[in-house]
Amino acid sequence: MTQIGKSSAKRSQPSYFMSILGVSLVLFILGLLGWIVINANKLGQYFKENVEVRVYLRENITPKDSVALVQYIANKPYVKEYTYVTKEDARKKFIADGNDDWKNIMDANPLPASIDFKLRNQYVHIDSLTAIAADLEQNIGVNDVQYPRALIDNLNKNVQKISMILLIVAIVLCIVVIILIDNTIRLAMFSNRFLIKTMQMVGATRGFIAKPMDVRAIINGAISGVIALAGIFALIIFSEQQLPELKAMRDITWLVLLGAGIILLGILISLLSTHRSVVKYLKMKLDDLY
């Protein structure tokens, strides 16, 4: 009987290898989608946080009032970064953009000084910007507040549309991944059905039979997750070498959560599928195993 158990265990080893390989490939695909979703969110945030609001100052504003207004805007929670643009700076930028200097036509500089600032991601919405503009325009030193309304509206619509598409794809892929991993594990356990039944026939309890296989499933799931993560991180490093811009969007926190989720998913599905298969074969009659 011991010889039968040993020979059955040896025959089961290749199926474990194929199970680990199959689960690793499926988890790799799921992890790759997760990385794409993370980058898509970071890219949307990057575009939003590059939206610039310009606060034009009145011509007769005093230096003291200018400093006070700059400090007022700088202390606002919606400001990510700001720049004070003097009249001379505005003239230089105007000329740098390819426009002709007006010094031969007029003496005075018609361009106003301004405070240009970029918003934090959560404030880049039309409602928020309308409220921000209304608040700033109440200041006596502000002449006008301008922001690209159409751009912001289109940006938010596109980000929402892309996020919804990615969410649907992620849900569908998660379902497919669970089904594929479950089938892979069940196929691997199919080759062990006689070993399971033999152990039951010699008096082993359900817990005694299931425990080592459940432990093996946990180990296999963890190994599959680690292999998938190694492939994902190798692809990330390669992609960042080809496109250095991707490195600027790297979010360590989300990548750690993605890695933990991939390993945990591999362990859970492997454990549940293995245990369910063991229970199934224990309930089956010997003749039904053939």
Side-chain angles (χ1 to χ4, degrees):
M1 193 65 65
T2 305
Q3 295 296 328
I4 294 174
K6 288 183 178 180
S7 60
S8 299
K10 289 180 180 179
R11 287 196 302 270
S12 70
Q13 295 305 315
S15 63
Y16 280 135
F17 171 76
M18 293 305 298
S19 171
I20 291 173
L21 182 62
V23 174
S24 298
L25 290 174
V26 176
L27 290 176
F28 173 79
I29 295 173
L30 182 63
L32 183 60
L33 177 63
W35 179 59
I36 293 173
V37 171
I38 292 172
N39 277 344
N41 289 332
K42 292 292 291 183
L43 187 61
Q45 180 178 336
Y46 172 80
F47 283 127
K48 283 185 176 182
E49 291 187 344
N50 273 277
V51 172
E52 193 171 66
V53 179
R54 292 184 177 179
V55 181
Y56 291 104
L57 278 58
R58 294 187 182 277
E59 289 290 336
N60 58 350
I61 189 172
T62 64
K64 182 179 178 181
D65 290 337
S66 297
V67 172
L69 181 57
V70 170
Q71 290 300 319
Y72 176 78
I73 292 176
N75 292 329
K76 289 296 183 180
Y78 51 76
V79 176
K80 180 188 176 186
E81 58 183 65
Y82 68 93
T83 305
Y84 178 67
V85 181
T86 64
K87 292 174 66 68
E88 183 60 24
D89 291 335
R91 185 187 73 82
K92 291 179 180 178
K93 186 176 180 181
F94 180 81
I95 296 172
D97 290 338
N99 299 299
D100 295 331
D101 197 350
W102 58 76
K103 281 191 172 181
N104 295 329
I105 303 175
M106 60 182 74
D107 296 328
N109 184 351
L111 297 177
S114 66
I115 304 171
D116 302 344
F117 63 88
K118 294 179 180 178
L119 296 165
R120 297 189 185 278
N121 174 50
Q122 61 268 31
Y123 292 96
V124 186
H125 299 281
I126 295 300
D127 294 340
S128 299
L129 280 164
T130 301
I132 290 170
D135 174 62
L136 294 176
E137 286 173 349
Q138 292 178 359
N139 192 294
I140 193 171
V142 175
N143 182 44
D144 190 21
V145 179
Q146 293 185 2
Y147 55 89
R149 185 183 183 92
L151 174 63
I152 294 170
D153 193 35
N154 290 331
L155 182 60
N156 284 322
K157 287 181 179 178
N158 290 333
V159 169
Q160 290 177 358
K161 188 182 297 183
I162 293 172
S163 298
M164 184 61 64
I165 292 173
L166 288 176
L167 178 62
I168 293 173
V169 172
I171 292 173
V172 172
L173 186 58
C174 280
I175 295 173
V176 173
V177 163
I178 292 173
I179 294 173
L180 286 176
I181 293 178
D182 182 62
N183 288 337
T184 302
I185 300 299
R186 289 171 61 187
L187 183 62
M189 293 305 299
F190 180 77
S191 63
N192 293 327
R193 66 193 186 281
F194 289 112
L195 174 61
I196 295 170
K197 202 64 180 178
T198 300
M199 294 174 68
Q200 185 186 35
M201 291 172 65
V202 298
T205 63
R206 176 178 295 184
F208 181 83
I209 298 171
K211 183 177 179 180
M213 294 189 177
D214 288 346
V215 172
R216 183 67 192 183
I218 293 173
I219 295 173
N220 288 352
I223 293 173
S224 299
V226 171
I227 293 174
L229 284 181
I232 293 168
F233 286 128
L235 181 62
I236 290 174
I237 293 172
F238 175 78
S239 300
E240 289 179 350
Q241 289 176 346
Q242 301 300 314
L243 294 171
E245 295 82 2
L246 291 175
K247 195 170 184 178
M249 294 189 295
R250 183 194 294 175
D251 192 320
I252 300 298
T253 302
W254 278 107
L255 288 178
V256 170
L257 291 175
L258 176 65
I262 291 296
I263 294 176
L264 184 61
L265 183 63
I267 291 174
L268 286 177
I269 298 177
S270 297
L271 177 60
L272 293 175
S273 299
T274 298
H275 190 79
R276 190 158 60 92
S277 297
V278 171
V279 173
K280 171 187 173 183
Y281 291 128
L282 286 174
K283 290 180 178 180
M284 292 176 64
K285 294 181 179 180
L286 182 60
D287 292 340
D288 295 335
L289 297 179
Y290 291 93

